[in-house]
């Protein structure tokens, strides 16, 4: 009896050092923020954006009531309202830049502008950056038609309204590092606004942890097939990074991490945060950078070496996308608010919030993450280092079979080395730092170490 007691005590102590099974701590402040996301508020924002008639990139910039210029000024004025409740942490601006005529979708040299609100981090030593965006511009059938009404309710009033809702809510809180809330322009003409911002970020060496692009996230009924579903959202993520170096390509092939690019690790992070905090919404991981042969505002960030993904509704409705306002054969065409599902939009906005808040409060990711390969064994030993000036509560080792889409097991440890009974031949791993409230860094995929 005594021997058995000692055995069980040893087993308990061993287990407690290695795992708490899975850290499912829920931060009540994130839960509270999610309750502050309101479908009615999102609807009001979308309708205000629609009221500008058209937000075509090349539309009127002088009018106070119509065109892209009026829309930009209104978004900035809303950011300024949020700033007054942020204790000085939130600032806003319109970042103007000039685009040369391209002979395609920019007829003459034009001044464009991104409307940006910046929530400055509270830790002056922490240079990490998060970005969330939607595109402000809209269009009708003819992409060069800057005069006709182009409501752009869902494309992309939905993404802009979600971004603004998060700016309003999150600016009332303090986070260690900086968050940029951006309404980019020029998306329909060729991703000009996001490319300008991505190139600026690269030039100024921003330490971007994640970029979330929200484009068409408010429609739940598909055209043609008539599928209706407001319980799923697509998150697109690239496989092979655009800026992969020769050495990185060799390591990717050596470790078979074709399905574990930084953007794909972010997409899985979004799925985990959404499952934990948002009811009745499932993240559908789509393993491509964007829809087939199409692109979005996250793409220039990916092309400049940043970790970026796109949120997009599950079922697109092409009767209400890039359409002139008209009725034909009893079918009403056009991107109008009446065709949107604002409860669906609320849930996707909440998914963005759960992701951003967890990342913004998370400890820095571990560095030098490796898996030992000096011995042949059916166990796997992972090692890593704590980030500089970082003292995490602990670390999570994520485990999944090679064929699994998402992580299947989480092992909690407090040391920076752990041996687990899962063979590296049969499983894939990643390591993330975590604090006491469950805020976790993005996972880091291990490389072989001897």
């Amino acid at each position: 009896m005594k021997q058995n007691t000692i055995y069980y005590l040893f087993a308990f102590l061993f287990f407690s050092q290695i795992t708490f099974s899975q850290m499912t701590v829920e931060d009540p402040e994130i839960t509270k923020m999610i309750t502050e996301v309101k479908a009615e508020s999102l609807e009001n924002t979308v309708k205000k954006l629609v009221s500008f008639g058209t937000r075509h990139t090349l539309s009127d910039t002088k009018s106070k009531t119509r065109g892209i210029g009026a829309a930009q000024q209104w978004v900035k004025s809303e950011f300024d309202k949020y700033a007054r409740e942020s204790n000085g942490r939130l600032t806003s601006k319109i970042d103007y830049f000039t685009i040369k005529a391209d002979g395609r979708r920019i007829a003459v040299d034009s001044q464009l502008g991104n409307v940006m609100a910046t929530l400055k981090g509270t830790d002056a030593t922490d240079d990490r950056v998060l970005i969330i965006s939607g595109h402000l511009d809209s269009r009708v059938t003819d992409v060069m038609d800057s005069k006709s009404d182009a409501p752009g309710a869902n494309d992309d009033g939905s993404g802009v309204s979600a971004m603004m809702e998060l700016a309003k809510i999150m600016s009332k809180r303090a986070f260690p590092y900086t968050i940029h809330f951006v309404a980019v322009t020029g998306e329909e003409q060729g991703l000009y606004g996001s490319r300008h911002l991505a190139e600026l970020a690269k030039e100024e060496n921003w330490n971007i942890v994640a970029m979330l692009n929200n484009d068409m996230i408010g429609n739940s009924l598909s055209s043609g097939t008539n599928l209706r579903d407001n319980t799923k959202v697509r998150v697109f993520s690239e496989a092979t990074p655009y800026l992969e170096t020769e050495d990185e390509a060799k390591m990717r092939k050596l470790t078979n991490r074709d399905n574990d690019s930084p953007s794909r690790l972010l997409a899985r992070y979004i799925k985990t945060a959404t499952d934990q905090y948002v009811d009745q919404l499932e993240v559908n991981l789509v393993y491509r950078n964007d829809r087939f042969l199409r692109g979005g505002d996250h793409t220039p960030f990916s092309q400049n070496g940043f970790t970026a993904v796109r949120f997009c509704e599950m079922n697109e409705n092409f009767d209400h996308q890039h359409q002139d306002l008209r009725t034909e054969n009893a079918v009403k065409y056009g991107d109008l608010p009446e065709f949107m599902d604002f409860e669906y939009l609320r849930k996707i906005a909440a998914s963005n919030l759960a992701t951003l808040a967890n990342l913004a409060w998370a400890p820095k990711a571990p560095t030098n993450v490796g898996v030992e390969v000096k011995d042949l064994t059916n166990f796997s030993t992972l090692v890593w280092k704590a980030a500089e000036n970082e003292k995490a509560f602990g670390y999570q080792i994520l485990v999944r079979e090679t064929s699994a889409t998402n992580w299947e097991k989480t092992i909690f440890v407090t040391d920076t080395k752990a041996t687990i009974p899962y063979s590296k031949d049969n499983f894939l791993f990643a390591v993330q730092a975590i604090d006491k409230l469950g805020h976790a860094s993005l996972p880091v995929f291990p490389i072989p170490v001897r």
Side-chain angles (χ1 to χ4, degrees):
M1 183 70 175
K2 185 176 181 181
Q3 186 175 12
N4 286 343
T5 301
I6 293 173
Y7 170 79
Y8 287 123
L9 177 61
F10 174 79
F12 171 77
L13 290 173
F14 176 79
F15 179 82
S16 66
Q17 290 294 313
I18 294 297
T19 179
F20 290 159
S21 179
Q22 182 170 349
M23 287 283 290
T24 55
V25 179
E26 190 167 294
D27 181 352
E29 190 62 22
I30 295 179
T31 301
K32 183 177 185 298
M33 281 193 286
I34 285 174
T35 66
E36 295 173 19
V37 180
K38 303 295 185 183
E40 181 181 7
S41 176
L42 293 162
E43 181 175 2
N44 289 338
T45 299
V46 167
K47 288 181 176 178
K48 180 63 180 180
L49 292 171
V50 169
S51 75
F52 294 108
T54 178
R55 304 188 308 278
H56 190 281
T57 297
L58 306 179
S59 62
D60 194 331
T61 60
K62 304 298 183 183
S63 170
K64 296 184 183 301
T65 58
R66 182 178 176 86
I68 188 68
Q72 289 169 334
Q73 292 298 331
W74 178 77
V75 172
K76 185 182 185 304
S77 71
E78 291 298 292
F79 282 157
D80 290 341
K81 289 180 185 177
Y82 312 155
R84 289 193 284 272
E85 298 185 41
S86 71
N87 292 322
R89 290 188 302 274
L90 188 74
T91 58
S92 72
K93 67 177 181 179
I94 302 178
D95 179 19
Y96 291 108
F97 56 98
T98 299
I99 293 296
K100 298 290 185 181
D102 63 3
R104 295 176 58 253
R105 295 189 175 188
I106 302 293
V108 297
D109 293 359
S110 303
Q111 185 186 67
L112 277 59
N114 294 330
V115 192
M116 180 186 298
T118 299
L119 184 62
K120 190 67 177 175
T122 57
D123 186 348
T125 66
D126 196 333
D127 67 348
R128 289 176 294 174
V129 172
L130 295 169
I131 298 176
I132 178 172
S133 80
H135 72 83
L136 189 58
D137 56 302
S138 62
R139 60 166 287 189
V140 289
T141 304
D142 179 1
V143 72
M144 297 304 293
D145 181 354
S146 63
K147 303 296 184 182
S148 299
D149 281 353
N154 187 46
D155 185 13
D156 183 33
S158 62
V160 173
S161 66
M163 175 274 296
M164 292 176 67
E165 189 81 350
L166 266 61
K168 177 173 61 179
I169 294 168
M170 298 183 75
S171 61
K172 297 175 183 177
R173 279 84 175 177
F175 301 92
Y177 57 111
T178 297
I179 308 174
H180 294 300
F181 304 88
V182 193
V184 297
T185 193
E187 193 270 353
E188 302 290 7
Q189 307 307 114
L191 309 179
Y192 283 107
S194 56
R195 181 170 292 110
H196 166 76
L197 183 58
E199 291 175 353
L200 175 67
K202 185 176 181 181
E203 179 183 339
E204 295 184 354
N205 199 30
W206 293 7
N207 181 16
I208 297 177
V209 173
M211 186 276 180
L212 309 182
N213 170 36
N214 288 267
D215 194 349
M216 296 191 302
I217 56 173
N219 162 72
S220 58
L221 175 66
S222 67
S223 55
T225 54
N226 290 322
L227 297 173
R228 184 181 291 279
D229 190 350
N230 74 350
T231 65
K232 294 183 176 68
V233 60
R234 293 179 291 178
V235 173
F236 291 87
S237 58
E238 67 179 0
T240 305
Y242 277 97
L243 288 188
E244 184 180 61
T245 66
E246 185 176 340
D247 286 342
E248 289 169 341
K250 288 179 181 178
M251 184 58 68
R252 171 175 55 82
K253 295 172 184 177
L254 181 66
T255 58
N256 303 116
R257 67 166 298 174
D258 301 89
N259 200 20
D260 288 89
S261 68
S263 294
R264 201 143 291 173
L265 292 171
L266 170 59
R268 294 193 184 98
Y269 187 102
I270 293 168
K271 182 175 179 64
T272 299
T274 303
D275 287 347
Q276 184 173 3
Y277 284 97
V278 185
D279 293 329
Q280 302 298 322
L281 185 66
E282 177 185 345
V283 172
N284 187 2
L285 300 174
V286 183
Y287 290 158
R288 49 171 40 121
N289 178 64
D290 208 316
R291 298 149 304 158
F292 190 62
L293 301 182
R294 301 169 77 182
D297 286 314
H298 59 301
T299 303
F301 284 86
S302 297
Q303 291 170 338
N304 279 278
F306 298 116
T307 301
V309 298
R310 174 187 178 149
F311 283 80
C312 190
E313 60 205 22
M314 192 66 200
N315 298 297
E316 292 182 55
N317 196 314
F318 300 108
D319 293 345
H320 310 309
Q321 186 183 137
H322 299 177
Q323 292 284 354
D324 293 337
L325 295 174
R326 67 194 192 281
T327 300
E328 293 180 356
N329 300 319
V331 176
K332 190 172 184 179
Y333 292 87
D335 189 359
L336 295 162
E338 65 194 77
F339 300 117
M340 292 178 63
D341 181 338
F342 290 100
E343 171 59 16
Y344 181 50
L345 175 56
R346 181 198 66 80
K347 290 191 287 187
I348 298 175
S351 172
N352 277 262
L353 194 155
T355 302
L356 283 180
N358 270 291
L359 283 172
W361 274 321
K364 295 178 182 177
T367 64
N368 299 97
V369 180
V371 56
E372 291 187 352
V373 295
K374 60 183 178 181
D375 297 315
L376 292 177
T377 171
N378 287 314
F379 289 77
S380 296
T381 297
L382 291 108
V383 295
W384 58 91
K385 291 183 179 180
E388 187 177 356
N389 300 321
E390 187 68 66
K391 185 172 177 58
F393 172 67
Y395 300 90
Q396 292 189 142
I397 299 172
L398 307 178
V399 183
R400 77 176 196 277
E401 292 192 54
T402 59
S403 59
T405 57
N406 202 21
W407 302 111
E408 298 173 302
K409 187 174 182 62
T410 303
I411 300 173
F412 176 83
V413 299
T414 55
D415 200 357
T416 55
K417 180 176 182 177
T419 299
I420 58 175
Y422 295 90
S423 170
K424 52 190 169 290
D425 294 332
N426 304 327
F427 295 89
L428 295 168
F429 311 111
V431 180
Q432 59 188 167
I434 191 167
D435 70 9
K436 291 181 179 179
L437 286 174
H439 308 130
S441 71
L442 284 181
V444 181
F445 194 87
I447 64 173
V449 294
R450 297 185 183 277

